Amino acid sequence: MFLLIVAAFSLALVIVSFLVPAWSEVALIAAPCAVAAVFLLLVQSQRGSDKSDAKMRAVIDGSNVMHWRNGEPCFTPLHDVVQELKTLGFDPGVIFDANAGHLLIGKYQDDDKLAKRLDLPEDAVVVVAKGSPADPIILAAARDLKAIVVTNDRYRDWAEDYPEVQEPGFLIRGGYKSGKLWLDGRIKEALEPSSPT
């Protein structure tokens, strides 16, 4: 219910910011909040109310991961990371900056098109609105889903709002070594149940 309220309120603010010129800067905050809330609502609805789903969640920073192989944007590292996460028992989702399609194939690609390319459900892929940074949406989604984030970004600019970026095992680094994908070894710790303190 809370996410629905946040989504509705944020969308209302976005609409008002377009109708009332004096409120135009409100869209800079309201738009990412609306996108994140809608993304989380979609993910939540896909999962239903079944609490027996024991899969851990992983949010992939698509615009970061797509550069992992030779520094050039391509789908290979995205496919490899999605597959590796699934193999490890994670339920992956991917969030991209608005320009991801241009970098990958030379033209804009929306959630649906990128989801098809990654063999993921459409509600597991988000392309943020043009002019909105993906970072806070990635971090908000990970926080709300209690997910890890797969990226080589350290999100230093967001550490004050999202202090979990400094917690070991929240951000999972990766890359390629001798042509083979590697992910930070702490990823397996995320799958282990927390020990009582």
Side-chain angles (χ1 to χ4, degrees):
M1 183 65 167
F2 174 73
L3 282 176
L4 191 58
I5 293 168
V6 170
F9 183 69
S10 299
L11 288 170
L13 284 176
V14 169
I15 292 167
V16 169
S17 71
F18 284 109
L19 297 175
V20 180
W23 284 47
S24 62
E25 291 185 19
V26 171
L28 295 174
I29 294 173
C33 289
V35 171
V38 169
F39 173 72
L40 293 171
L41 281 169
L42 290 171
V43 170
Q44 194 175 57
S45 69
Q46 177 193 12
R47 309 248 183 310
S49 59
D50 182 8
K51 302 297 182 193
S52 65
D53 183 7
K55 282 191 175 185
M56 291 289 298
R57 310 283 193 258
V59 177
I60 300 168
D61 180 346
S63 295
N64 182 275
V65 171
M66 70 183 185
H67 290 93
W68 281 9
R69 190 176 195 123
N70 303 323
E72 296 293 323
C74 71
F75 281 102
T76 302
L78 294 163
H79 285 289
D80 291 349
V81 169
V82 166
Q83 187 55 50
E84 181 66 14
L85 289 169
K86 286 180 177 180
T87 299
L88 290 170
F90 285 89
D91 194 3
V94 187
I95 300 178
F96 290 98
D97 288 312
N99 69 343
H102 289 286
L103 294 172
L104 287 164
I105 64 167
K107 62 181 180 178
Y108 177 79
Q109 297 286 281
D110 62 15
D111 309 345
D112 181 47
K113 290 181 177 133
L114 287 174
K116 285 178 184 167
R117 295 287 299 251
L118 296 173
D119 195 26
L120 286 170
E122 183 180 349
D123 61 2
V125 176
V126 170
V127 177
V128 301
K130 184 178 177 182
S132 297
D135 293 357
I137 295 170
I138 290 167
L139 297 172
R143 176 183 282 173
D144 290 344
L145 294 170
K146 296 180 177 34
I148 60 169
V149 177
V150 180
T151 184
N152 285 338
D153 194 334
R154 300 292 91 193
Y155 300 111
R156 289 182 181 96
D157 293 343
W158 302 98
E160 187 174 325
D161 294 329
Y162 298 94
E164 54 266 46
V165 301
Q166 298 172 356
E167 294 174 11
F170 178 72
L171 300 177
I172 300 298
R173 296 177 60 82
Y176 285 83
K177 189 171 188 176
S178 303
K180 185 171 167 51
L181 175 71
W182 64 270
L183 293 175
D184 188 332
R186 292 179 293 184
I187 193 168
K188 292 184 180 172
E189 295 171 18
L191 289 167
E192 298 170 4
S194 300
S195 55
T197 54

